[in-house]
Amino acid sequence: MGYGINTKKSKKKIYGYTPPLGLGMLARVAKDYGCDVTVNDAGPLGDDFESLIRKIVEFKPDIVGFSVFTANFAQAVESVRLVREHPALRDTLVVIGGPHVYTFREKTLADIPADVAVYGEAEADLIELLEFYDGTRASLEEVNGLFFRSEQGIVQTQETHSSRSLDHFGFPDWDQFDFSLYRNIPGQIRRYPMTSMVTSRGCPFRCNFCFQAGRFADKYRRYSPELVIDEIQRLQSRYGIREIQFWDDIFFINKKWVETFCRLIQEKKIDITWSGYARVDLISPELLRMARDSGCWNIFYGFETGTQEMLDFLEKKATLEQAVNASRWTREAGIISRGSFMLGLPNETPELGEKTIDFAIQLDPDYANFNIFFPEPGTGLYDLAVQSGRMLSGEYLGRSVPVYLPDGYQSIDQIRDLQKKAFRRFYFRPSYIAKRISRIRSWSEIGQYVDGAMMLLSMNKPKIPFAFATESSKTGQKGRNVF
């Protein structure tokens, strides 16, 4: 079903990989339909273009699927081209999907030589596509959520599946994954084997920089907590999973849901450690204590910026005071906090960027990430960036390479220098280093800190031409895999 590319030639240990959940979902749907399916996670497997094509030819597929992100667009184009040109794959149906297709719609087929682009809810649309392939649907026009090629040009079909309950879809085909391959970036996992997991889709908030809040935003839906707990127990009994990273855009979005989830973990005596994402305005001391008692040890907050002026501009619907409270309450609960901040935003100046760094140091989360703003297609800030005429590139080049130059900055080097300054001011504080050393409990933790320091120090090295990612792109790792 999905194949990928790894451009890293080094055999050194690479952090940042988690299972590609979207492909796992489609694999389960296809397998339930009666197909023979394989998901090839090329990044941790070390596949390059040559080995990718060799594996596809050996599998002799009727259908090959690629998940396209803006981050991996160039690699997706090359992968599909190689499939299209191989004589043994001439009759293979090539399907593409993913966020890039969802955003750019029919333009994706104009850029990538695939046969079909799925922009709708792929779990449901794939079944209909398989029915067409088997001849039980007369034409592609009867399949929901597609763009496909015809003699008249590119044709779009309607999508009617987007309101379905997630309980209807089930969970990924976990058998597709070798969990020994997956190691997240240093310090983000306590126990192995681990997996990522998603309990919801969409986001009800409308921050103007976020893809999930853009004009193609999905309706917010969530699995029932009981179903999630059942799946965790299955992951433990069948695969020995000891830790889960929840990749929901906001895991702590509904107090009642989270309370039920935490209560069930304790009632069933499930030995699991876990982490998730939260908003600063949805957290309370009581909820944090309940999460801690059920195994939560790590929470990620999108603080974004260090001034109320910029928070309001981003339509974040949160305050600096709420950020301060959330940080303090999380620390008091004994939970590790991670914070994300952006630099190089529209309306930002270097002085405002410095205030973001100052605020990050004031909050003092256990870990902080300073990303250079990337205009996500389909969002309000993407439109603003394009209209300003100050977009330097439409390609994703990683979170350390500016593709947009705000009016308040003189050059992209000024933004990159500010990002380097942010990391160094935050992580090389004597108080921060002393705190981290005091918490070391094993040699493996020392190794992770060394790896993390090397990642920071490598920021001065020349960047690769492209950085590309799977569903796990929130890690910010470069040299990832394409499906």
Side-chain angles (χ1 to χ4, degrees), residues 291-329:
R292 175 201 62 200
D293 293 342
S294 68
C296 177
W297 70 276
N298 177 14
I299 294 179
F300 184 101
Y301 293 103
F303 296 118
E304 318 306 357
T305 184
T307 68
Q308 192 62 50
E309 169 192 355
M310 287 301 297
L311 274 180
D312 294 342
F313 171 71
L314 297 174
E315 300 179 12
K316 186 74 177 180
K317 307 299 183 186
T319 67
L320 298 182
E321 182 181 3
Q322 289 170 332
V324 171
N325 288 336
S327 295
R328 186 179 77 253
W329 294 338

Side-chain angles (χ1 to χ4, degrees), residues 141 149-155:
E141 292 179 349
R149 302 181 190 279
S150 73
E151 294 180 357
Q152 290 73 40
I154 295 176
V155 177

Side-chain angles (χ1 to χ4, degrees), residues 249-253 276-280 282-283 299-302:
D249 288 281
I250 309 173
F251 184 83
F252 290 84
I253 198 169
Y277 289 70
R279 279 179 59 99
V280 297
L282 298 178
I283 285 297
I299 294 179
F300 184 101
Y301 293 103

Side-chain angles (χ1 to χ4, degrees), residues 49-50 81 110 155 167 188 265 275 281 328 344 351 430 447 477:
F49 284 113
E50 183 180 350
R81 183 188 68 79
V155 177
D167 287 4
Q188 290 212 8
I265 287 180
S275 57
D281 57 334
R328 186 179 77 253
E351 293 73 25
Q477 285 293 97

